[in-house]
Amino acid sequence: MTEKQIQRKRGFLRSSSLVVLLATMVGLVAACGNSEGASKPANSSATATSSGAKVQPPSVINYGYIGTNKLNFPGGAEGWGFYKGIIQEEFKKYGITDVKLVAFPNGPDQSESLISGRLDFGSLGDTPALLARSTGAKTRAITQGATDSIGYLIGKKGGPQSIADLKGKTVAIQKGSFMHRYIAGLVKEQNVPDVKFIHMLRPDGEAALSRGEVDAMTNSAIFALKQIEQGYPLIDDASKHPNLIGTSITVASEEYLKKFPDFQKVWNEARLKALKDLQAKPDEYYQFLSQLNGFTPELNKKVTPIETIKAVNFTDDGLKLLDGTKKFLVDEKLAEKDFDLNQWILK
C-alpha cells in the first residue's frame, strides 16, 4: 500500500472505528429494550400489512437528511412530502403520528446516528451509506431517489486552473461524501500525484478557499455555481466523468424494519404521492427550494430539475453507478470491507 493510500485510509478509519463502536453500543441498548423511538408504540389501530400480518410500529419515527436550513426540510420528493404533510398523512394510517426530521452537515455523521439508533431511516449520499455498510452497519437501502449528484472542483482565485495543476496542492473535501469519491476517482484517473485532501465542511471550505488557505475545494452544484459567479475558477465537474457521478440513497435500520416489515413499501408509496403532487405544482416546488437554500427559483430549476427525481425506488442505471462506487471504495481500500450489494438493497 502506498503512503497516499495509507493516509486516505486513516481518514476513513477514524470514522469507521467510531461507526463500529456505535454499532456495538446499539446492540447493547437493543438488548436492554431501550431504543429511542421504540418506547412509544403506535395506537391500537394497528394496520394489516400486505402480507396480512398485523403491525404496530412505534408512533414516533426519526428521519435524517443532509443540509441545514431554517425550514428544516430536505429537497426532492421527500422534502416536499414532509413539507406539505403528504408523507405524515400516509404514516398516520399505520399509527405513526410523530415524524421528527433531523438535519446533518454530512453523511458520515448521519450514518453514525442511524447506527446508534437515534434515527430510524434517512437520505444521504451513496458513498457514506456504502462506507457505513462496509463496517457492518445493519442498514438496508430502500430507495435511490436521485442518480445525478454532480461534484464540482473549484479552484482559488489565481490558483490551479486544471486538474494537472493540482499536483502538490491541497484540496478541501468533506471526507466520506460523494464529492470525496468524485475527487479521489478523478485524481486517480488523471494520474495526478501528491494531492493532499483535508477535511472541511462546506462553509469552512468556502471560507478557507477565499482566504487562500487551500488551493481548491469540492462542492455541490448550487453552491459551486455561486462560487463561479463570484469569480472562482471551475476546474472540473463530474458531468464530464459519468462513472464519478454520485447518487442519493435512503437507508433504514434493520432494527426498524423488524418493527415495520412493510415500511419500504409504505415509504415509497408516500414518496411517489409527494412526487406526483410537486410535478403538478412546479413553480411552487422551486419556490420551496428557494426558501431552503436562499438561491433563486430559476437557479434551483437549472440545478435540480424535477425531471431528475426518480419515480421508482431503483433503476438499472442507478444500481450500476452504486456498484461502481462500491467497487472503487473497496479497490482503493477506503471501504472497511467488501459486501454483497444485492444483500443490502431491499427491492
Side-chain angles (χ1 to χ4, degrees):
M1 182 182 299
T2 65
E3 181 63 25
K4 184 169 68 175
Q5 288 175 321
I6 292 171
Q7 290 177 351
R8 281 184 292 182
K9 184 173 183 180
R10 283 174 180 163
F12 277 89
L13 286 179
R14 282 194 290 272
S15 298
S16 301
S17 298
L18 181 55
V19 165
V20 171
L21 175 60
L22 290 170
T24 303
M25 293 171 63
V26 165
L28 293 172
V29 170
C32 295
N34 191 31
S35 177
E36 183 179 356
S39 58
K40 292 178 64 178
N43 59 37
S44 57
S45 58
T47 305
T49 69
S50 59
S51 62
K54 291 287 185 181
V55 298
Q56 194 167 14
S59 61
V60 179
I61 190 167
N62 298 284
Y63 171 81
Y65 70 96
I66 304 301
T68 57
N69 57 77
K70 61 183 180 182
L71 296 184
N72 191 26
F73 291 109
E78 298 84 358
W80 182 258
F82 286 126
Y83 174 63
K84 301 298 286 186
I86 296 169
I87 294 175
Q88 289 91 328
E89 284 300 314
E90 293 300 308
F91 282 180
K92 281 182 183 177
K93 297 175 182 176
Y94 297 85
I96 301 171
T97 56
D98 190 359
V99 181
K100 297 182 183 300
L101 275 64
V102 184
F104 292 86
N106 61 359
D109 289 342
Q110 183 174 312
S111 290
E112 289 168 11
S113 286
L114 184 67
I115 294 167
S116 69
R118 296 194 296 273
L119 294 178
D120 298 305
F121 76 121
S123 302
L124 71 170
D126 53 9
T127 294
L130 289 165
L131 289 173
R133 179 68 177 184
S134 79
T135 68
K138 296 186 180 302
T139 63
R140 298 294 297 272
I142 60 174
T143 311
Q144 192 178 27
T147 60
D148 60 341
S149 300
I150 307 296
Y152 285 71
L153 180 60
I154 305 295
K156 70 177 180 182
K157 295 177 181 177
Q161 300 290 315
S162 69
I163 301 170
D165 290 342
L166 294 179
K167 179 182 179 181
K169 297 296 192 295
T170 300
V171 180
I173 63 168
Q174 289 193 180
K175 279 190 173 178
S177 68
F178 81 89
M179 293 177 287
H180 185 182
R181 182 266 187 272
Y182 154 65
I183 185 65
L186 180 67
V187 167
K188 182 182 181 183
E189 282 186 2
Q190 302 296 316
N191 195 28
V192 183
D194 303 325
V195 180
K196 181 182 179 182
F197 297 142
I198 181 170
H199 170 68
M200 290 184 179
L201 297 178
R202 180 187 57 76
D204 296 331
E206 291 176 346
L209 192 72
S210 69
R211 295 192 295 263
E213 296 171 352
V214 296
D215 299 293
M217 70 172 292
T218 55
N219 214 340
S220 55
I222 200 158
F223 298 105
L225 292 181
K226 186 67 176 180
Q227 289 179 303
I228 294 168
E229 288 180 0
Q230 294 171 343
Y232 291 93
L234 170 64
I235 299 175
D236 188 72
D237 68 75
S239 67
K240 303 179 180 69
H241 318 276
N243 59 313
L244 300 181
I245 292 175
T247 71
S248 177
I249 291 283
T250 298
V251 296
S253 71
E254 291 184 356
E255 188 65 26
Y256 188 76
L257 293 173
K258 289 178 184 176
K259 300 170 187 173
F260 193 176
D262 272 357
F263 176 69
Q264 185 209 28
K265 178 176 180 293
V266 171
W267 165 250
N268 284 313
E269 288 179 351
R271 182 182 174 279
L272 181 59
K273 190 172 183 178
L275 175 57
K276 290 181 177 178
D277 187 74
L278 75 85
Q279 286 172 331
K281 307 166 185 172
D283 292 341
E284 189 178 347
Y285 173 69
Y286 291 123
Q287 185 62 44
F288 162 68
L289 293 183
S290 179
Q291 289 181 273
L292 295 184
N293 55 39
F295 296 100
T296 64
E298 291 73 23
L299 185 57
N300 277 287
K301 183 176 182 179
K302 176 181 178 182
V303 174
T304 53
I306 290 172
E307 292 74 19
T308 61
I309 302 174
K310 301 301 180 186
V312 296
N313 52 342
F314 293 101
T315 64
D316 290 341
D317 289 344
L319 291 175
K320 184 178 179 182
L321 283 171
L322 196 62
D323 186 53
T325 297
K326 183 183 76 84
K327 287 180 177 176
F328 174 83
L329 296 173
V330 171
D331 291 345
E332 291 299 301
K333 303 187 187 309
L334 299 175
E336 190 75 12
K337 62 181 180 181
D338 198 3
F339 63 93
D340 187 347
L341 209 57
N342 293 321
Q343 295 296 316
W344 183 52
I345 295 169
L346 190 60
K347 294 182 179 179

